[in-house]
Amino acid sequence: MRLPPLMLLMAAVTIVGSNSLALSPVALEIGRAFGGASAQEVLVAASLFGAGTALAAVGIAPFADRIGLSRALFLAICVLVLGMAGTALAPALWVVWLAQAVAGLGSGVALPATYGLAAEIAPKGRESTFFGRVLMGWTLSLVFGASAAALIADLAGWRAVHGVLAALGLLVLLAMALSPRMGEVRAAQGASPWAALRVPGIGAALAVAGGYMAAFYGLYAYFAPHLQVQLGWPVWMVGAVPLVYGIGFGLASLGDPWIDRFGARAVAPWVFGGLVVQYLALAAAAGWAWALVALCFSWGIINHLGLNLIVGRLAALDPARRGAVLGLNSGVTYLAMFVATAGFGWVEVALGFVACAMLSAVCVLPALGDALRRR
């Protein structure tokens, strides 16, 4: 079971992504199992997952530069598997919240370690192409994780969803144990959690990442409930959302070499400008279920390219502190997830899905402004 490094990194992203995206499609099912709790109450688990990820990414991930990113990734996946198993066995809703917080601690180290290793093994001049291949793990998590979650929940119950994810996580750990360790750059300096804040250019890059991620997670969390409650779709049909999104996200990898060819600064304004238009289109289509699902295809394409630009920019800032830099990125990402899941929930209850989509467009405007300035 010896796998190439890129496949291992892709598998790690798949496990992290599947856990983070699986709650929304089955939120109503989990609520019914615990006394009729609302989707908003269940999705507190998603907020706590984001908070745990942010805490670990800022406070723990920088130490990956000391012990080596490969070892840090293995330990992080162990913690993530523990959280997913705890979710599957939870006897009460508060245990689901706690287990997802634990899963977040593992994810907070796993993602920066994965992205850092991708940057280390990528040949010079092909960084965006390599990042694109690793980001394909998000496609797998969307197509085979989030989409399958709705189907599995319909057939075997929501507990089976996280039970399957925990089992897949154990397989990833086995593959990592049997495969050669990837080459690593270790930091000579101490790994202070805040040391990366002194890296030139990191402030603007993190601001772009925060707005971008808040726009995605805030709207995604309430996509499935909108289709179910407002438009009357059953839970198994809601799986079409991550499926179509994931297909678009995966196909966008064909465009990653163009980022290497033309340069990130030239491509970024088009990508982030297109994303603003994308969210406005989702707002306009809020009353038509199949139109929303169709737009998820272009949403996936643009989000893949945007994520590649953001991670590639951060990974290039300081090779010796990639764990710390990318840890701050994950911290900002899941802090944005925590705030957006709660904040967009209030907006959705008060003003509806259209207002959430328009708020997502506003969240991307700083990224567009930064891209125009840098160009």
Side-chain angles (χ1 to χ4, degrees):
M1 199 173 177
R2 295 166 68 93
L3 299 177
L6 273 179
M7 289 190 65
L8 281 174
L9 297 179
M10 189 187 305
V13 172
T14 300
I15 294 299
V16 174
S18 294
N19 180 78
S20 65
L21 297 172
L23 275 175
S24 179
V26 300
L28 293 178
E29 299 300 311
I30 296 176
R32 293 189 188 103
F34 295 119
S38 68
Q40 284 78 13
E41 290 176 296
V42 173
L43 288 173
V44 169
S47 294
L48 292 174
F49 173 83
T53 303
L55 178 65
V58 174
I60 303 174
F63 295 95
D65 292 320
R66 285 183 178 177
I67 68 173
L69 296 181
S70 289
R71 183 179 299 172
L73 178 58
F74 185 88
L75 295 174
I77 297 295
C78 288
V79 176
L80 177 58
V81 168
L82 180 63
M84 293 187 296
T87 302
L89 299 172
L93 184 57
W94 69 267
V95 181
V96 174
W97 296 345
L98 179 61
Q100 282 299 299
V102 171
L105 294 176
S107 297
V109 178
L111 280 180
T114 301
Y115 294 153
L117 285 169
E120 289 183 14
I121 66 176
K124 185 67 176 177
R126 296 188 61 203
E127 291 86 355
S128 292
T129 302
F130 265 56
F131 275 126
R133 292 177 182 175
V134 172
L135 292 176
M136 284 290 290
W138 287 105
T139 300
L140 295 175
S141 71
L142 287 159
V143 176
F144 301 111
S147 296
L151 181 59
I152 293 172
D154 231 21
L155 296 176
W158 66 269
R159 293 182 186 277
V161 174
H162 285 86
V164 169
L165 289 177
L168 292 175
L170 290 174
L171 290 178
V172 172
L173 289 174
L174 178 61
M176 291 181 67
L178 297 178
S179 300
R181 179 167 293 183
M182 289 165 268
E184 299 167 19
V185 176
R186 297 196 185 191
Q189 70 275 7
S192 166
W194 309 110
L197 289 175
R198 296 193 294 269
V199 175
I202 195 170
L206 290 177
V208 168
Y212 172 92
M213 293 300 182
F216 171 72
Y217 282 112
L219 190 62
Y220 178 84
Y222 298 98
F223 216 105
H226 173 70
L227 289 174
Q228 291 175 268
V229 176
Q230 302 300 326
L231 301 180
W233 274 28
V235 63
W236 68 270
M237 289 183 67
V238 172
V241 171
L243 175 64
V244 174
Y245 177 95
I247 292 172
F249 196 97
L251 289 177
S253 63
L254 298 175
D256 291 324
W258 292 88
I259 299 178
D260 290 324
R261 180 176 178 181
F262 293 106
R265 294 192 180 199
V267 174
W270 296 99
V271 171
F272 294 122
L275 192 54
V276 172
V277 174
Q278 173 70 46
Y279 284 122
L280 294 177
L282 287 169
W288 296 275
W290 285 111
L292 284 174
V293 172
L295 283 170
C296 287
F297 179 75
S298 56
W299 191 17
I301 291 174
I302 301 172
N303 260 353
H304 175 105
L305 297 174
L307 186 58
N308 194 324
L309 290 168
I310 289 170
V311 175
R313 176 182 177 182
L314 285 161
L317 290 178
D318 189 342
R321 291 181 177 177
R322 282 199 177 110
V325 169
L326 292 170
L328 286 176
N329 173 58
S330 290
V332 167
T333 293
Y334 285 95
L335 179 60
M337 178 184 179
F338 174 76
V339 172
T341 302
F344 275 64
W346 297 331
V347 173
E348 200 276 337
V349 169
L351 300 173
F353 182 84
V354 173
C356 288
M358 295 181 70
L359 180 57
S360 289
V362 172
C363 289
V364 180
L365 289 178
L368 176 58
D370 178 77
L372 292 170
R373 177 186 62 83
R374 295 180 74 231
R375 184 178 184 184

